[in-house]
Amino acid sequence: MTTVQPTQPSFWNDTGRSGLAAWIFSTDHKRIGLLYFYSTFGFFLVGVLLGLLLRIELMAPGRTIMGPQTYNALFTVHGVVMIFLFIIPGFQGSFGNLVMPIQIGARDVAFPRLNLFSWWLYIMGAVIILASLFTGGGPPDTGWTFYVPFSSRTGTNVSLAVFGVFVVGFSSILTGLNFITTIHRLRAEGMTWGRLPLFVWSLYATAWVQILATPILAITLVLVMAERLLGTGLFDPGRGGDPVMYQHLFWIYSHPAVYIMILPGMGVISDVIPVFSRKPIFGYKMIAFSSIAIAAFGSLVWGHHMFTSGMSDTAILVFSFLTFIVAIPSAIKVFNWVSTLYKGSISLDAPMLFALSFILLFSIGGLSGLILGAAATDVHVHDTHFVVGHFHYVIFGGAGFAFFAAMHYWLPKFYGRRYAEKPAIVAWALMFVGFNVMYFTMQVLGMKGMPRRYYDYLPEFATLNLVATVGSWILAAGLIVMLVNLFRGLFRGEPFTGNPWGGATLEWTTATPPPTENFEEEPVVTHGPYDFRGTGIP
Amino acid sequence: MSHLKDDSGAKLGMWLFLFTELLLFGGLFLLYSAYLSRYPHDFSSAGRQLNVVFGTINTVVLLTSSLFVAMAVTAVQRGEPRRTLWLLGGTILCAAIFMAIKYVEWSTKILHGIYPNSPHLAAGPPGESVFFSLYFMTTGIHGLHVLIGATLLAWVGAKVKRGAVHSGDYILLENGALYWHLVDLIWIFIFPLYYLIL
């Protein structure tokens, strides 16, 4: 396989509209991908800032820098921004859009205009959510879960925030159905299901979760709005309703949503590890299958969020059992990644370091998830900082680090310039250390009994809270190094051409940066995505 | 590649979208079943206050509209734009009749003090209040879908008139008709659940 010399202009030099309009009205999946990348990543930084403020407040018992109401609003907005505006739309929207059509040898997604519309909906939802912070009764203070009865009674601006999430959810559904149709209809000749890159498989599974689960969130949010605006009373025990029904409906979406967040990350790791081990992936079929299995079983475990909310013992037993089943496909992936590394020729470039730390952090998060999934232990740690630590291990240590791996692995491909290697490794090391100092301490705090979402705490928790806060500063320092290095590199760094890492998926066969049409001529696929013979690197 | 028109892809996308619509109503049906098992007697007494005649007429109206839109697809395939337009007009007329009957039904209920958060319902048994809240939410969101579907078909009709949708390229009309069948299908679930079985 040789890299084609570009004869067409790259997608950056596409003629037509100019200035901002060339981006926000473009239907090119690469431009939409970058729009998503910058908008979602921007919200990630906002979320980080809010998180840092929360940690500073918790640094010492009592009031440190803010009052209790501000604290409630901050953790709510931190959650809403990180979940609904960054990690759910982020992976599919940015790297899904940038890479997936090229990886399957297509010119674009199946519905390019719908794709642009999805981004617009996302932005509209984001604006509505932001507006909810500054209008009405002020930022919502319910936590990102919008639990009734508090969410139907609080005077803060819950209705508008919930409507914003509804709009973002619509965008998510449209992206999901667009991707499923694209993967079914637009694969290049020879791109059989058995030759799909594992990133594409993970996006495919994710897209199914998006279209199967998001409508339930939509109707739940509509019902919360109706509860507030019309007084329907469907979740109000005083009028025959039941708040636990809200929790069921909310988690029917929001547990599968966790897999919307993590599955694309697993796909990135499955693509990165073989490339930097110079070995075909071990157990391709099982990794692909386990993505589908996670999506399927993950839809049946929502009840494990409600062990203490009032469910029958039978229901608790069944949900606990199903929760343990999800661990199996997740473990299949971890074992296959590790087997791929075995006797590989490993090169520790930045994307690989992020991928390796993903395996460790995700495993810690996954295993602590089993402690929460077992009903007996869950009663002890429910609603403590253990849950906060567990969740961040999976979503930040897992999905977040995979997102950073994807940034280092793919962004140079689209910019034609690269970051410097050494600062990237320093940034990774800082973030890895800071991450563990912060979230492992949180898990210990939770085990000792510190509740989540509490503004104040007993003096005995003071030392560990201080340690966690210092960890958040180390993490933030690493993040700053990474951002400066990465973006300086993308705009002014050394040229990045050809296939320096020796990837065997289709995006490495086209020009860097890719032309608007992605390929000079429609590719014909003759080998699997991890067949490294012929990439020129032994 | 993607510049070629892909009708099967467009239809696949539409089916997936319809799937999400079914799930949206699925959440309401889930609440219905949970509360039905909790308040079987209240649901039964509340359900009998609904007017079966209105419900039946509306069911017939919607089924007829679905027939019209299916015939419109056949007509456009045969290259008969005038007939297509008449049939689409018939569908939209049925939608209007449906909404008019719904309006009468709703306003009668509201006139009798039956609406979400009404003092009348608050004084009655809790199951009835839940039933009517669910009834107004479900039929309200369904009515919204009727309006959206009728607007969609009117827009496709304008394209038929301009010749943009014709016997060689009618995927828009096919997808519009699919959407209309969904509106019909959901009513086919609402009608027995709220009007008949209680």
Side-chain angles (χ1 to χ4, degrees), chain A residues 105 107-108 111 170 173 177 180-181 184-185 208 211-212 215-216 218-219 222-223 226 230-232 234 239-242 245 252 522, chain B residues 1-3 6 8-10 12-13 16-17 19-20 23-24 27-28 30-31 34-35 38-39 116-117 126 129-130 133-134 137 141:
Chain A
R107 188 180 289 183
D108 207 320
F111 310 114
F170 198 38
I173 288 176
L177 76 85
I180 291 179
T181 313
H184 272 279
R185 300 293 305 169
W208 274 108
I211 64 168
L212 291 179
I216 308 287
I219 191 67
V222 168
L223 289 172
L230 306 173
T232 44
L234 284 173
R239 279 176 288 165
D242 186 349
M245 285 312 296
I252 287 177
E522 188 174 351
Chain B
M1 284 192 287
S2 59
H3 286 243
D6 181 13
S8 308
L12 175 64
L16 290 171
F17 183 70
F19 219 43
T20 68
L23 284 160
L24 183 89
L28 290 166
L30 204 66
L31 279 181
Y35 287 129
R38 185 168 305 178
Y39 306 110
N117 212 14
S129 155
V130 167
S133 280
L134 269 177
M137 286 306 292
I141 295 176

Side-chain angles (χ1 to χ4, degrees), chain B residues 32-65:
Chain B
Y32 176 93
S33 60
Y35 287 129
L36 173 65
S37 78
R38 185 168 305 178
Y39 306 110
H41 299 294
D42 292 356
F43 263 49
S44 147
S45 63
R48 271 189 241 114
Q49 296 174 40
L50 293 182
N51 191 328
V52 186
V53 177
F54 281 152
T56 312
I57 296 174
N58 258 350
T59 308
V60 174
V61 166
L62 268 194
L63 285 174
T64 314
S65 72

Side-chain angles (χ1 to χ4, degrees), chain B residues 70-137:
Chain B
M71 286 166 75
V73 174
T74 314
V76 82
Q77 282 170 334
R78 288 188 182 163
E80 299 169 359
R82 273 182 62 84
R83 184 182 299 230
T84 312
L85 281 175
W86 274 110
L87 287 163
L88 279 179
T91 314
I92 294 167
L93 182 70
C94 285
I97 297 173
F98 178 90
M99 290 307 286
I101 293 177
K102 200 88 245 167
Y103 173 78
V104 175
E105 213 183 336
W106 269 36
S107 40
T108 325
K109 283 276 158 304
I110 293 170
L111 224 69
H112 285 86
I114 295 175
Y115 52 89
N117 212 14
S118 72
H120 173 76
L121 284 180
E128 284 198 13
S129 155
V130 167
F131 177 87
F132 280 109
S133 280
L134 269 177
Y135 165 79
F136 279 108
M137 286 306 292

Side-chain angles (χ1 to χ4, degrees), chain A residues 239-257:
Chain A
R239 279 176 288 165
D242 186 349
V244 177
M245 285 312 296
Y246 170 83
Q247 296 189 17
H248 274 292
L249 286 176
F250 180 80
W251 288 114
I252 287 177
Y253 164 77
S254 293
H255 193 79

